[in-house]
Amino acid sequence: MNPLDLVVSRLKAAKRVAALTGAGISAASGIPTFRGADGLWKHFRVETLATAEAFENDPTTVWEWYDWRRGLIAAATPNRAHDVLAAWTAKPAFTLITQNVDGLLERSGAERLIRLHGSIWHVRCWERCARGRSDWLDDTVPMPAIPPRCPHCGAIVRPAVTWFGETLDYASFDAAANAAASADVFLTVGTSAIVYPAASLLPLAKRRGAFSVEINLEPSGASDTVDVCLHGKAEEILDRLCERWP
Ligand code: BV8
Ligand code: ZN
């Protein structure tokens, strides 16, 4: 049986399916990935931008990097990979987990989504004051100051994303781990599978008996763990899977 047919047969037989997605699903929308050839990290050093220390040392530069990324994302449109994954969230059996902070799965209509690393469109008070958590960022309004100030306590405001060295939102990771542990089929899609603890979900699913599939442009940290590798563009492979597992 060819690998795609095998994956389709497993999806059709599955009671529960979970998918973990990474930056690769947004590549077709023109959003740079992190570690690919044109990767974001190639031009910027993680230590200088995606850590709390970086923000403490230079909040303006970090804020402006996120502003630059928000501009790219605002100009982008979701692609077929987002649309298929979002459509699958209408299936009670399907759980969608993402490492991405870009919000494109939400824009594709994902009904239920576990965001492991937060959202670039959310901000929170740097001092974590009780009321300083705003669930949206209205960037149509020019920021009075960069970074903006918390309206409740006056402290600076930070992107509500999980930086390196920060723990993930416990409830989100717990929900993702439960979905992985109970999945009959686990898909890892568009991720280099090297960032933890997100990358620990695949081995967890496999240990608990899931049939595991990698959908990625190139071999990754997941390739030696999964049962089947479907290497190619996620937007094309997911489109073909959706034809047979609508
Ligand atoms: C933690 C949000 C506990 C921000 C991100 C030292 C101290 C503390 C922790 C660590 C440490 N050393 C290591 C760690 C653990 C660290 C980690 O895993 N580091 C890695 C680099 C080794 N993890 C953490 O720090 C986590 N927290 O451990 O807390 C703790 C706390 C204190 C002390 C000790 C422990 C927090 C991790 C979260 C970091 N935040 N993002 C932001 O986005 O700005 S991670 C960032 O990487 C993004 O979220 C991204 O999603 C994620 C993973 O990257 P990918 O999505 O996989 O993207 P990538 O470019 O790598 O790969 C894309 C793939 O797609 C490629 O393979 C490419 O081939 C493929 N592709 C391209 N086009 C397509 C395609 N595939 C299909 N179709 C296409 N068209
Ligand atoms: Zn505040």
Side-chain angles (χ1 to χ4, degrees):
M1 190 184 282
N2 85 39
L4 196 87
D5 292 343
L6 175 59
V7 172
V8 169
S9 69
R10 290 297 186 124
L11 286 171
K12 286 181 172 174
K15 288 195 183 62
R16 277 187 288 271
V17 177
L20 171 67
T21 63
I25 68 164
S26 296
S29 297
I31 309 299
T33 60
F34 288 85
R35 296 165 190 87
D38 64 344
L40 273 175
W41 300 136
K42 286 267 182 305
H43 310 297
F44 304 98
R45 287 173 47 74
V46 171
E47 296 73 21
T48 57
L49 290 166
T51 64
E53 293 74 20
F55 188 71
E56 186 139 42
N57 294 336
D58 186 352
T60 303
T61 298
V62 173
W63 184 271
E64 286 172 341
W65 182 56
Y66 279 87
D67 245 4
W68 173 72
R69 287 172 64 192
R70 274 192 289 271
L72 286 180
I73 298 163
T77 46
N79 65 69
R80 186 69 180 135
H82 299 113
D83 293 344
V84 170
L85 291 162
W88 282 349
T89 60
K91 295 172 179 279
F94 182 75
T95 302
L96 183 55
I97 306 159
T98 192
Q99 300 170 89
N100 297 350
V101 299
D102 59 28
L104 291 179
L105 283 163
E106 296 89 321
R107 275 173 49 190
S108 283
E111 291 173 13
R112 291 168 295 113
L113 175 63
I114 299 173
R115 276 196 298 245
L116 291 180
H117 296 157
S119 169
I120 201 167
W121 298 106
H122 292 180
V123 293
R124 63 173 162 82
C125 174
W126 177 241
E127 296 302 339
R128 290 180 178 271
C129 78
R131 296 167 47 229
R133 180 180 180 91
S134 66
D135 282 333
W136 56 271
L137 178 76
D138 178 0
D139 66 343
T140 55
V141 175
M143 293 290 170
I146 296 293
R149 292 281 160 179
C150 170
H152 307 290
C153 74
I156 53 174
V157 160
R158 59 163 283 177
V161 299
T162 306
W163 280 324
F164 287 99
E166 293 186 320
T167 50
L168 277 60
D169 172 70
Y170 177 75
S172 301
F173 188 72
D174 193 44
N178 287 336
S182 56
D184 300 307
V185 175
F186 187 85
L187 308 173
T188 171
V189 189
T191 179
S192 56
I194 61 170
V195 171
Y196 284 80
S200 66
L201 294 171
L202 167 63
L204 168 61
K206 190 157 174 66
R207 267 198 314 277
R208 302 291 286 270
F211 177 79
S212 55
V213 183
E214 175 180 52
I215 299 171
N216 205 57
L217 197 61
E218 58 199 349
S220 77
S223 302
D224 292 341
T225 307
V226 295
D227 296 296
V228 170
C229 290
L230 299 178
H231 284 162
K233 293 181 177 178
E235 59 274 20
E236 293 172 0
I237 294 170
L238 289 170
D239 185 51
R240 290 170 61 197
L241 288 176
C242 187
E243 277 169 19
R244 298 167 61 188
W245 192 61

